[in-house]
Amino acid sequence: MRLVFAGTPDFAVPSLRVAAARGEVVAVYTQPDRPAGRGRGLAASPVKQEAMRLGLPVRQPDRLRGADARDALRALQPDLLVVVAYGLLLPSRILDIPAFGCWNVHASLLPRWRGAAPIQRAIEAGDAETGVCLMQMEKGLDTGPVLLSLATPIGERETGGQLHARLAELGAQVLGDGLALLRAGMRPAPRPQPEQGVTYAHKLDKTEARLDWTQPAELLARKVRAFDPWPVAEADVAGERLRIHGAIALPLAHSAAPGTLLFAGRDGIDVACGEGALRIRALQRAGGKVITAADYLNARRELRDTSAAQPAGAG
């Protein structure tokens, strides 16, 4: 079975390994090398690095539009194109080239969370469950019929980075299941997505990482988890801008204004929210490393004496 694989970030790497183990990968498409790091030198994508390690041919076009792109793909005579977080749009003329079309590994239980950031949006929304889908691609954004899916619960303390890593492996598993069926002559039956329950996972924006203390503590705690490791939630606490890496919501009844510092001690730093309070447990000062709230308070001992009197954004 001749496969072409298209992917870019580390999320796609486990699926590339499975594709290489289950079929003949005749080409790996990935985005062009990009400047990265302090030196801004060109860096290969995680998928390119893994493809080179596996000895697979790599292609890095800027786009997949035009007759040249179609001719290049058609010359490979692919049975199937596997797409996992590639990052480039595939025109319908490209989708029609492989004998079995194009399969996509998507990190949600479609039709919930179509789009760019399904993992983070699921945590932010408080979903109890998520999963992966193997989808037959069509022209619309994540609208194609689902071939196979696997569900998994979202842990109460699970961050976006942790769930991302788990779903990458789960995605490889569902792809492997699909490829095994195809090799056995049992092509997975496409199941159209229901029209009800459609939601969109809009791309993350760094501006939304700023916590709004007027919002409920439960929502802010979910944002902290969802936005770790990027863009990382941040807030003004006792006159200092901090990046928040760990926090829990407290069902605390209070009459303090949102943003008021309620308590600071070895268990954390409690800040009043629109509903309840957010207990900050891990944080990062500008230019510093991630530390516990207790370590932070060793440097700011004056906050330990604070008791529901100081607005969190004040000096």
Side-chain angles (χ1 to χ4, degrees):
M1 182 165 52
R2 294 173 63 84
L3 302 177
V4 171
F5 189 91
T8 299
D10 54 0
F11 182 84
V13 170
S15 290
L16 173 59
R17 293 178 185 142
V18 165
R22 295 292 177 90
E24 180 191 1
V25 178
V26 296
V28 175
Y29 281 68
T30 190
Q31 290 203 33
D33 296 356
R34 307 288 190 199
R38 292 185 177 181
R40 307 305 294 165
L42 291 179
S45 73
V47 162
K48 179 180 179 181
Q49 294 177 42
E50 183 64 12
M52 294 175 67
R53 189 188 72 80
L54 295 170
L56 302 174
V58 174
R59 299 184 176 188
Q60 297 178 276
D62 291 322
R63 49 186 291 183
L64 284 179
R65 296 186 179 277
D68 290 347
R70 295 195 297 273
D71 291 345
L73 180 61
R74 191 176 291 111
L76 294 170
Q77 299 182 309
D79 294 311
L80 181 69
L81 171 58
V82 176
V83 181
V84 186
Y86 180 34
L88 289 181
L89 294 176
L90 273 61
S92 56
R93 288 185 177 183
I94 288 289
L95 301 178
D96 293 338
I97 291 175
F100 295 107
C102 301
W103 287 2
N104 174 241
V105 175
H106 185 77
S108 81
L109 296 176
L110 293 168
R112 188 159 177 80
W113 302 127
R114 294 172 177 171
I119 297 173
Q120 295 84 355
R121 298 304 181 197
I123 295 176
E124 182 183 16
D127 290 2
E129 180 184 68
T130 186
V132 291
C133 284
L134 185 63
M135 178 184 62
Q136 185 79 45
M137 294 181 70
E138 59 180 32
K139 187 176 180 180
L141 176 63
D142 299 331
T143 58
V146 174
L147 303 172
L148 297 170
S149 63
L150 289 172
T152 183
I154 299 177
E156 292 183 359
R157 302 289 175 83
E158 197 164 27
T159 67
Q162 292 165 343
L163 184 56
H164 179 279
R166 280 207 304 123
L167 293 185
E169 297 294 337
L170 207 62
Q173 182 180 333
V174 78
L175 173 62
D177 292 345
L179 292 175
L181 288 172
L182 194 59
R183 289 188 62 174
M186 297 181 289
R187 186 178 181 182
R191 173 168 47 89
Q193 295 183 33
E195 295 183 1
Q196 293 186 335
V198 174
T199 58
Y200 287 92
H202 298 289
K203 185 177 180 179
L204 292 179
D205 189 314
K206 189 168 176 58
T207 60
E208 62 183 309
R210 180 77 180 276
L211 298 184
D212 177 358
W213 294 122
T214 66
Q215 294 184 322
E218 286 283 354
L219 174 57
L220 297 184
R222 294 198 301 265
K223 286 178 179 285
V224 170
R225 289 166 46 214
F227 298 162
D228 189 350
W230 195 93
V232 181
E234 62 180 27
D236 290 336
V237 179
E240 182 176 6
R241 179 69 56 84
L242 300 175
R243 304 181 86 196
I244 313 300
H245 287 271
I248 60 172
L250 302 178
L252 181 67
H254 63 80
S255 58
T260 299
L261 189 63
L262 298 175
F263 170 80
R266 61 185 304 171
D267 292 334
I269 300 169
D270 300 349
V271 180
C273 303
E275 295 176 12
L278 189 72
R279 171 162 290 177
I280 300 170
R281 288 180 158 176
L283 55 90
Q284 185 178 19
R285 307 182 82 173
K289 62 182 181 181
V290 178
I291 58 176
T292 65
D295 288 340
Y296 173 72
L297 293 174
N298 286 336
R300 296 200 63 184
R301 294 181 180 276
E302 78 279 7
L303 298 183
R304 289 182 181 275
D305 298 326
T306 302
S307 59
Q310 187 175 16

